[in-house]
Amino acid sequence: MLRSATSGRHLMDSMLRPTPRALRLLPEFRRTGVLVTDAVRLERRDGVARLTLCRDDCLNAEDERQVDDMETAVDLALLDPAVRVGLVRGGVMSHPRYRGRRVFCAGINLKAISAGRISLTGFLLRRELGYLHKLVRGLSDDDPDRWTPPEQKPWVAAVETFAIGGGCQLLLVFDHVVAAADAYLSLPAAAEGIVPGAGNLRLGRIAGARLGRQVILDGRRVMAAEPDARLLVDEVVPPEEMDEAVERSLARLRGDAVVANRRMINLAEEPLDGLREYLAEFALEQALRIHADDVIDKVGRFAERSA
């Protein structure tokens, strides 16, 4: 379907529509400005949709439940006219090793893969064509008379402790990324035996081909304090200054022309057909890799150690 220009474009446009769950929850969110789900907490405050990843049981490792909750929260932020800009940040963890610290995301939930709870359409493709796609391109609807562009808003990410795998992929679609100086970024998908979503498409464009290959193929971990990190994040600040830096970045993205310009930047950097063609090949490669013997063996051993 994705290889076909006709059906592929229709599918990608359809995936930009708000989910039924978000439309059902929208009146309550517009009234209260709060949404609490298993995986995320969304709070509207001073025109900012503050989306907090709160899976402290697994360090915000992504599974199908988290993808569903993230897409619902992103939809609500885009649908609510009182929201001007969005923020995604990891919550405070209760995990013994990181107790009391904010963690952005530990990547794909390997235990969920081992248990057969990560599907190609429900996670691997819905994630790319759902909330990640919406962060870049906003929402679409069925109004035949609409001539204006889809509803879009700028987004900021705040990274503390680490952004691993899918967490690092997520940073590649944000308009501004603030990282604590003691954080690190990594994309260990090749070591895990899988393909890192659209990370192969975006990382080289953003950070350069050499660094992209080092991170994806060699498993290089990029420390926020090292110079190369500035190719992946916009600001690096001491951990105690994160709150102030985040608020400054949110204020800068409130300008009236920000949305129009981000739309044109995203259009130039990632044409829709380029993403469609990449995802068509990704669907095939990931379908083969997710069921490969080496992946099953690795995630099985990880699940045993975690248990």
Side-chain angles (χ1 to χ4, degrees):
M1 288 182 66
L2 286 167
R3 278 178 174 167
S4 163
T6 302
S7 63
R9 289 173 185 168
H10 175 73
L11 173 60
M12 296 185 74
D13 184 63
S14 297
M15 291 297 290
L16 289 178
R17 296 171 184 165
T19 63
R21 182 188 184 196
L23 293 173
R24 186 175 69 253
L25 294 171
L26 180 61
E28 180 69 9
F29 179 73
R30 290 190 64 179
R31 185 180 68 82
T32 65
V34 175
L35 170 76
V36 179
T37 70
D38 291 335
V40 305
R41 176 183 174 86
L42 179 66
E43 181 182 3
R44 183 190 65 235
R45 191 168 72 248
D46 301 326
V48 178
R50 301 171 187 270
L51 196 165
T52 303
L53 305 169
C54 55
R55 289 287 300 282
D56 60 350
D57 59 317
C58 60
L59 302 177
N60 290 325
E62 285 192 296
D63 56 16
E64 295 197 10
R65 178 173 63 173
Q66 182 151 329
V67 166
D68 186 52
D69 287 351
M70 283 291 290
E71 185 166 8
T72 299
V74 169
D75 280 354
L76 291 174
L78 291 169
L79 288 165
D80 187 350
V83 170
R84 295 286 303 276
V85 59
L87 168 68
V88 176
R89 191 174 189 179
V92 177
M93 298 291 104
S94 61
H95 188 285
R97 188 173 178 182
Y98 300 98
R99 192 182 307 277
R101 297 175 62 184
R102 288 183 181 269
V103 168
F104 190 72
C105 179
I108 194 169
N109 192 316
L110 298 179
K111 291 177 68 175
I113 295 179
S114 178
R117 296 196 302 269
I118 296 292
S119 66
L120 181 67
T121 54
F123 179 94
L124 298 168
L125 283 174
R126 180 183 175 184
R127 179 177 181 273
E128 299 297 334
L129 288 169
Y131 84 86
L132 287 175
H133 195 32
K134 290 172 176 177
L135 287 172
V136 176
R137 288 183 169 83
L139 295 178
S140 180
D141 61 31
D142 296 315
D143 185 353
D145 297 323
R146 180 183 293 277
W147 59 270
T148 55
E151 183 65 37
Q152 295 189 21
K153 289 166 187 178
W155 290 87
V156 173
V159 181
E160 283 121 329
T161 310
F162 52 69
I164 299 173
C168 187
Q169 295 170 37
L170 185 53
L171 303 183
L172 303 178
V173 303
F174 280 88
D175 301 293
H176 194 87
V177 180
V178 184
D182 59 352
Y184 70 85
L185 317 173
S186 68
L187 262 178
E192 296 165 353
I194 57 178
V195 180
N200 295 323
L201 176 70
R202 295 173 175 137
L203 182 60
R205 184 191 75 223
I206 292 171
R210 286 295 102 201
L211 181 59
R213 288 176 183 270
Q214 291 168 21
V215 170
I216 292 173
L217 301 182
D218 299 342
R220 176 180 169 184
R221 179 181 291 187
V222 180
M223 310 304 295
E226 65 179 283
D228 279 349
R230 295 308 298 268
L231 299 171
L232 299 169
V233 303
D234 299 284
E235 292 183 74
V236 179
V237 300
E240 64 274 13
E241 297 179 14
M242 280 291 291
D243 289 346
E244 294 179 6
V246 167
E247 295 305 318
R248 288 195 303 269
S249 66
L250 291 168
R252 287 195 296 268
L253 290 177
R254 288 173 177 263
D256 292 336
V258 166
V259 171
N261 280 285
R262 82 180 293 271
R263 177 175 177 270
M264 299 312 296
I265 289 172
N266 288 334
L267 181 64
E269 289 186 341
E270 190 178 283
L272 187 62
D273 277 339
L275 177 62
R276 175 183 59 79
E277 291 167 1
Y278 173 88
L279 289 176
E281 301 309 314
F282 163 76
L284 174 60
E285 293 290 352
Q286 194 74 301
L288 295 171
R289 289 308 311 157
I290 201 73
H291 298 111
D293 290 342
D294 63 301
V295 174
I296 293 171
D297 179 62
K298 288 172 184 175
V299 298
R301 285 188 277 111
F302 175 84
E304 289 177 1
R305 290 196 305 271
S306 300

